Amino acid sequence: MFSERWLCFCCPPMHKSPRRTIVAPIEQNPIQPESRLQLQTSRLSNRQKQKSELHLAAVVIIQTWFRRRRALFEIRRKTAWTIYQNIEYAGEQNQLKLYNFFLELMQTVSKNPRDATVAAKVLRRSSSLSGLAEELELKQLTSPTIINVESSYQGPHIDKPINREHFEALILAFQRGELLHAHYVLLILHELRHILKNLPNINIVSTHQTTCVTVVGDLHGSLADLMIIFHKNGLPSNENPYIFNGDIVDRGFQSIEVFLLISVALIVYPNNIYLNRGNHEDHVLNLRYGFMKEIIHKYKSHATRLLHLFENIYSWLPVASLIDDHIFVTHGGISNITDLTIINQIKRQKYVSVLSPSFIIPPNEDEFQIGNIPNDLLLEWRQILDLLWSDPKQSDGCEPNTYRGGGCYWGPDVTNDILEKHKWSLLIRSHECKEEGFDYTHDKKVLTVFSASNYYAVGSNRGAYVKVITNQPPLIVQFVSTKSSHKSLTLWERVSHVEEQAIQNLLEKFSVNQNRLIREFAVVDRKKTGRISINEWCDIVSRVLNLHLPWRTLKSRLVQTDSDGSIIYESTFRFKQLQVTLSVPTSERRTSLCQAIYRNKDLLETVFRAIDKDNSGVISMKEFTDVCVSLGHHNGTKFDGKQIMDLAASIDLDKNGVIDFNEFLEAFRIVDITDHFDDES
């Protein structure tokens, strides 16, 4: 019925193409084996090209990440380095301002130009030996025969003549942590002094026989660094000469051992071992930076004899060395007035302390006037001061070194003038810690070498020494001393550790100056919002702490900010690290007093040790009386014996007849309380 096919007239007809019959092709031209191999090779080449492009992209990404990471490390390390240097140099400035602090502390000296010498009078040591009587007195006080060696002593023994076997025995003993008996220390120091007295102001060094000489920079009591230098470069000998360029002592805990080893080397090889004086070879610096404390701790009852002898030995140390007539080696540097003719004529033994030279206070001080000091004497003093304290700068000129408080800054023009004047080719100096252990400046005419590694913290810097070889450029050798118990640190760990220690030191400054900072912040914050601008915060912190640091970079580690970018200044003292530094909460007045004592602790300890002339660890009534009489004389106030004894008794809390350091601090606290009440009234 429906056999017919229905078609739709509204749609166009559809034509279905017939099904094609698939017939397998017959290979008429098969691919040859050679062509197949070429095709496979082409495909493999394309794959390798794609992989190479992928590897190259990965390398670029990794390099970009690494460079950014390295740049971040460098910023963090430089910031930490700046913190360390600012705190260190601020400490040296404080030491040079010690005399003014002492006057303010006692509040007895009137504002008179002549009275500026009173503190130096209080801290002054006996002048350098100029007469037979003083020479005999020193020998009697410091003679080794005065001290007997106990039968129970198990350390190394030294006898005359001192030889290389003694030197090697001392090295082994010091590495084992043994302490040399005071009898032998005095014996070595007297032998050293005898040699030094016959040396010129400038050592004359030649490499024509030995072909080279090794220059070692600041060691600062680091026995580990000295041992590494001896291990890498060989022990001192006539064939292996050394120049030790000052700052042997202070800061480190083994200054006496380092100084004794170098002294014995000089005694055994007097014609090939040279020792220049540094700015820390000065009893005024030793008062603060640890060497005096180390001697008192290690030698107790014999400390006075040792300190007197060390002070005198410092004055006999040469101030520079000249290698092959064209390489000048000195601790600090030069200035626009540096003149070898003047330096060679100076009687260096007068300068027991370069910071407080004896001519500042003549024997008849009642007739003293500053204007009476001859210009040639001041020029002579400047020669010594500049050699030991100066630093190079990038710009031309010569100006006072206000950063350290002593010496000068000299520029490339001064270097060129002085080197040309004396026909030198290179100036080698130390005095500054460098991250790599060395640094060239002034078109490679000034080389700084620093030999104490890990100076600020573990990983903070490398140490270095320089080998001066005949007719060759200087060879610089770098090293880092690490204790066997410490694993080697990665770059990240090293930078993080250094940064952490630097921030901790900086937070300590915030801690002891908390009340002063809060007062300054409150003056700016008139509306009591607890917030100030970044500029105001940076200015106040820089002024109060007296540290010129990149505060904008550091603010994220020290303080919190609000959404507007303003500084929440009280947040600094809520930081976890700072809470560890701060003591438990106490009353506001007690906190202020603790901060005042802690802020001035180093200076107070320096003053205490200066008054303690016999280095007994306590101030006797005679020492206290001498200070009171001296200060009273210059202030016009006459103290009678009863007044002085009453004052001493009020400080001597345990009534044992002497004043120890804790009682000295307590007296300062009481004075501070009185001043506080006076201010309130």
Side-chain angles (χ1 to χ4, degrees):
M1 180 177 178
F2 300 101
S3 59
E4 296 183 22
R5 185 178 181 185
W6 292 85
L7 297 177
C8 178
F9 295 99
C10 64
C11 297
M14 297 180 62
H15 300 280
K16 187 175 181 181
S17 60
R19 179 178 296 179
R20 296 178 57 186
T21 303
I22 301 176
V23 181
I26 300 175
E27 295 184 2
Q28 297 180 355
N29 296 319
I31 300 176
Q32 300 298 323
E34 294 81 3
S35 300
R36 185 180 295 111
L37 180 61
Q38 291 178 357
L39 181 61
Q40 292 176 351
T41 303
S42 176
R43 292 175 179 174
L44 181 61
S45 176
N46 290 335
R47 291 175 183 174
Q48 290 178 344
K49 184 177 180 180
Q50 291 176 354
K51 287 184 178 180
S52 298
E53 292 176 351
L54 184 61
H55 290 166
L56 181 60
V59 168
V60 171
I61 293 173
I62 293 173
Q63 285 183 342
T64 302
W65 175 87
F66 178 78
R67 287 169 181 168
R68 290 177 179 175
R69 200 71 169 174
R70 195 63 181 264
L72 176 62
F73 287 165
E74 192 65 19
I75 292 174
R76 291 171 57 189
R77 183 166 63 177
K78 285 186 178 297
T79 302
W81 190 264
T82 305
I83 294 173
Y84 281 126
Q85 283 196 327
N86 272 264
I87 293 177
E88 177 188 7
Y89 293 159
E92 291 187 349
Q93 289 178 5
N94 290 338
Q95 183 61 29
L96 294 177
K97 296 173 182 176
L98 172 64
Y99 301 148
N100 291 332
F101 171 80
F102 188 82
L103 300 180
E104 294 172 1
L105 177 68
M106 304 305 292
Q107 296 182 356
T108 57
V109 179
S110 61
K111 294 183 179 180
N112 187 316
R114 180 169 169 273
D115 291 332
T117 62
V118 175
K121 168 67 175 177
V122 174
L123 298 178
R124 182 182 60 177
R125 292 294 193 269
S126 57
S127 61
S128 184
L129 304 179
S130 58
L132 180 60
E134 291 177 337
E135 179 80 11
L136 293 175
E137 182 181 359
L138 180 72
K139 288 185 176 181
Q140 290 175 358
L141 176 65
T142 63
S143 174
T145 58
I146 299 176
I147 305 175
N148 296 322
V149 180
E150 302 83 1
S151 58
S152 59
Y153 172 69
Q154 299 295 326
H157 293 264
I158 307 292
D159 53 10
K160 294 181 181 181
I162 300 175
N163 52 40
R164 186 178 180 88
E165 286 72 22
H166 294 130
F167 178 56
E168 295 176 351
L170 280 179
I171 292 177
L172 295 176
F174 291 157
Q175 286 180 323
R176 293 192 296 264
E178 298 178 6
L179 184 67
L180 185 64
H181 196 280
H183 172 88
Y184 299 125
V185 176
L186 291 174
L187 178 66
I188 292 172
L189 294 181
H190 273 288
E191 288 293 303
L192 173 67
R193 180 174 178 272
H194 176 72
I195 295 174
L196 293 178
K197 289 178 65 177
N198 296 315
L199 295 179
N201 292 342
I202 300 177
N203 293 309
I204 304 301
V205 185
S206 175
T207 62
H208 297 302
Q209 294 293 330
T210 60
T211 69
C212 73
V213 61
T214 302
V215 180
V216 178
D218 298 35
L219 286 168
H220 281 298
S222 176
L223 182 63
D225 288 310
L226 182 62
M227 292 298 98
I228 285 184
I229 293 172
F230 285 167
H231 174 74
K232 296 173 68 70
N233 194 62
L235 293 177
S237 66
N238 288 328
E239 295 75 28
N240 189 23
Y242 278 82
I243 298 175
F244 295 94
N245 199 25
D247 277 13
I248 307 300
V249 301
D250 275 339
R251 300 189 186 277
F253 301 108
Q254 294 178 296
S255 294
I256 183 70
E257 288 82 0
V258 173
F259 195 93
L260 288 175
L261 284 179
I262 295 174
S263 299
V264 172
L266 194 153
I267 294 169
V268 177
Y269 306 107
N271 297 320
N272 287 282
I273 305 299
Y274 308 91
L275 178 55
N276 294 341
R277 184 175 186 176
N279 66 310
H280 277 264
E281 276 70 58
D282 191 310
H283 73 263
V284 174
L285 272 294
N286 296 163
L287 279 166
R288 174 166 184 154
Y289 289 103
F291 188 46
M292 175 179 286
K293 185 186 297 184
E294 178 184 340
I295 292 178
I296 293 174
H297 173 72
K298 292 180 177 179
Y299 289 98
K300 298 178 176 63
S301 60
H302 304 305
T304 300
R305 305 180 194 278
L306 294 176
L307 288 170
H308 275 289
L309 191 51
F310 267 110
E311 290 166 11
N312 185 260
I313 286 175
Y314 291 160
S315 68
W316 288 105
L317 290 173
V319 295
S321 297
L322 185 60
I323 304 175
D324 294 336
D325 296 326
H326 68 95
I327 299 178
F328 189 66
V329 183
T330 191
H331 179 73
I334 57 177
S335 69
N336 57 345
I337 62 171
T338 298
D339 192 326
L340 248 60
T341 303
I342 299 176
I343 295 172
N344 282 322
Q345 296 174 353
I346 295 175
K347 293 182 179 180
R348 66 181 187 275
Q349 65 272 22
K350 295 189 304 182
Y351 295 89
V352 178
S353 171
V354 177
L355 296 179
S356 178
S358 58
F359 66 79
I360 292 293
I361 307 171
N364 189 3
E365 61 185 78
D366 290 333
E367 301 177 1
F368 169 71
Q369 292 183 0
I370 294 178
N372 291 340
I373 301 178
N375 289 333
D376 57 344
L377 198 55
L378 290 175
L379 177 62
E380 173 186 296
W381 177 47
R382 273 286 310 278
Q383 297 285 336
I384 300 292
L385 189 66
D386 290 341
L387 289 178
L388 270 56
W389 279 86
S390 296
D391 293 305
K393 64 173 184 174
Q394 297 302 320
S395 57
D396 287 343
C398 189
E399 60 188 25
N401 193 335
T402 55
Y403 203 40
R404 288 185 186 269
C408 73
Y409 282 123
W410 86 92
D413 58 330
V414 175
T415 295
N416 293 331
D417 293 342
I418 298 299
L419 264 60
E420 182 179 352
K421 174 182 177 181
H422 296 92
K423 298 181 180 179
W424 298 337
S425 61
L426 179 66
L427 168 63
I428 299 178
R429 63 181 295 271
S430 302
H431 196 42
E432 284 185 285
C433 180
K434 298 296 181 181
E435 292 183 63
E436 296 300 322
F438 75 98
D439 183 46
Y440 274 107
T441 53
H442 296 181
D443 196 23
K444 286 197 171 185
K445 294 179 180 178
V446 176
L447 170 61
T448 299
V449 57
F450 194 87
S451 301
S453 64
N454 302 314
Y455 181 63
Y456 294 124
V458 175
S460 63
N461 68 284
R462 298 180 181 180
Y465 59 88
V466 57
K467 296 180 70 68
V468 179
I469 305 173
T470 306
N471 299 325
Q472 292 187 25
L475 175 63
I476 298 169
V477 181
Q478 297 172 289
F479 62 88
V480 177
S481 66
T482 56
K483 294 182 179 180
S484 57
S485 59
H486 290 172
K487 67 175 184 178
S488 58
L489 301 177
T490 64
L491 176 63
W492 172 267
E493 292 173 333
R494 188 167 64 251
V495 173
S496 297
H497 181 75
V498 173
E499 184 184 43
E500 179 184 352
Q501 293 298 314
I503 294 297
Q504 191 66 33
N505 290 344
L506 192 55
L507 286 171
E508 185 176 319
K509 292 290 184 182
F510 275 85
S511 171
V512 300
N513 290 278
Q514 178 179 358
N515 283 1
R516 296 170 61 190
L517 287 168
I518 291 294
R519 283 198 300 268
E520 293 293 330
F521 293 149
V523 171
V524 177
D525 182 22
R526 296 183 178 88
K527 296 182 179 180
K528 310 299 181 183
T529 61
R531 289 163 172 76
I532 58 177
S533 68
I534 294 179
N535 289 338
E536 291 170 337
W537 183 81
C538 292
D539 292 341
I540 292 173
V541 170
S542 180
R543 183 175 68 256
V544 172
L545 301 185
N546 195 26
L547 297 175
H548 301 289
L549 297 172
W551 294 111
R552 291 177 178 274
T553 303
L554 292 168
K555 73 176 187 303
S556 61
R557 301 293 303 272
L558 300 171
V559 72
Q560 296 174 356
T561 58
D562 61 12
S563 57
D564 297 331
S566 298
I567 299 292
I568 308 174
Y569 55 81
E570 290 188 350
S571 63
T572 301
F573 308 104
R574 295 196 295 266
F575 270 43
K576 181 179 179 181
Q577 299 98 321
L578 193 56
Q579 294 301 322
V580 175
T581 305
L582 291 170
S583 59
V584 294
T586 56
S587 66
E588 182 179 353
R589 179 177 300 151
R590 181 64 178 172
T591 303
S592 177
L593 295 175
C594 290
Q595 290 171 4
I597 291 175
Y598 189 74
R599 183 168 58 247
N600 296 309
K601 180 179 179 295
D602 289 340
L603 290 174
L604 285 169
E605 184 175 359
T606 303
V607 172
F608 178 84
R609 296 193 183 282
I611 299 174
D612 177 22
K613 293 290 186 179
D614 59 0
N615 303 300
S616 60
V618 294
I619 298 175
S620 67
M621 291 303 156
K622 183 180 183 305
E623 292 166 339
F624 186 79
T625 301
D626 291 343
V627 172
C628 290
V629 170
S630 177
L631 293 173
H633 171 72
H634 286 272
N635 191 36
T637 303
K638 300 299 181 183
F639 293 98
D640 58 31
K642 185 177 185 304
Q643 289 176 318
I644 294 175
M645 295 305 295
D646 290 343
L647 181 60
S650 66
I651 301 176
D652 180 18
L653 299 179
D654 58 6
K655 307 304 178 185
N656 62 350
V658 293
I659 301 170
D660 60 28
F661 184 57
N662 289 331
E663 292 170 334
F664 189 73
L665 289 181
E666 181 67 12
F668 177 78
R669 183 185 70 83
I670 293 171
V671 171
D672 193 88
I673 289 176
T674 305
D675 293 341
H676 181 77
F677 283 136
D678 290 342
D679 292 341
E680 288 182 348
S681 61

